[in-house]
Amino acid sequence: MARVGVVGAALVRDGRVLASRRTEPPRLAGLWEFPGGKVEDGESDHEALRRELREELRVEAHVGDRLGGDVHIGRTAVLRVYLAALTAGEPALVDHDEHRWLAAHELGSVDWIPVDLPLVELLRDLL
């Protein structure tokens, strides 16, 4: 069985990355993540991530290089995170209840969802 593709955006601006606090599901509510979502049939990762950012944050973004490798989410999904930059808009609260722009030294100030943690560490060196 093929794993479901999930994409996330490490949105970087002025040396800071956007962290978004989840509201659901209950086991992940209150934890922070790179915004994104599932890749739909027929979409590339870049297309899916641009769509997800429009839906979740109401922004447009340029999607760049991948950050690290695949991160397995259980047995059913695989997460791929990409570096990205806003091209239009400011992040709105749609699927999250808070956003923060974090500098490298602030990355540990929020509780990240477990699947994002290895990528947070890679990002620390890039900011």
Side-chain angles (χ1 to χ4, degrees):
M1 181 169 120
R3 291 180 181 260
V4 173
V6 178
V7 290
L11 278 166
V12 177
R13 178 172 71 187
D14 300 327
R16 296 177 177 271
V17 67
L18 184 73
S20 299
R21 191 168 62 187
R22 295 185 64 119
T23 58
E24 58 184 316
R27 66 183 174 80
L28 297 176
L31 298 179
W32 296 77
E33 69 176 354
F34 298 117
K38 292 180 183 170
V39 178
E40 301 292 337
D41 288 339
E43 283 183 318
S44 70
D45 283 1
H46 284 113
E47 291 167 336
L49 195 47
R50 285 190 297 268
R51 176 185 51 76
E52 286 287 345
L53 293 174
R54 280 192 297 274
E55 292 173 3
E56 282 190 14
L57 303 179
R58 304 290 189 248
V59 299
E60 296 294 327
H62 168 76
V63 178
D65 295 334
R66 268 189 66 186
L67 178 65
D70 290 354
V71 178
H72 296 277
I73 305 171
R75 297 181 181 179
T76 60
V78 61
L79 171 67
R80 295 179 293 271
V81 173
Y82 292 83
L83 295 169
L86 293 177
T87 57
E90 284 295 318
L93 294 174
V94 178
D95 289 342
H96 300 92
D97 65 358
E98 187 177 347
H99 299 302
R100 291 185 191 169
W101 290 98
L102 303 174
H105 70 278
E106 297 171 308
L107 290 173
S109 69
V110 298
D111 292 324
W112 292 90
I113 62 172
V115 296
D116 281 354
L117 281 174
L119 301 166
V120 169
E121 290 309 312
L122 289 175
L123 186 60
R124 186 181 312 275
D125 295 333
L126 297 175
L127 293 179

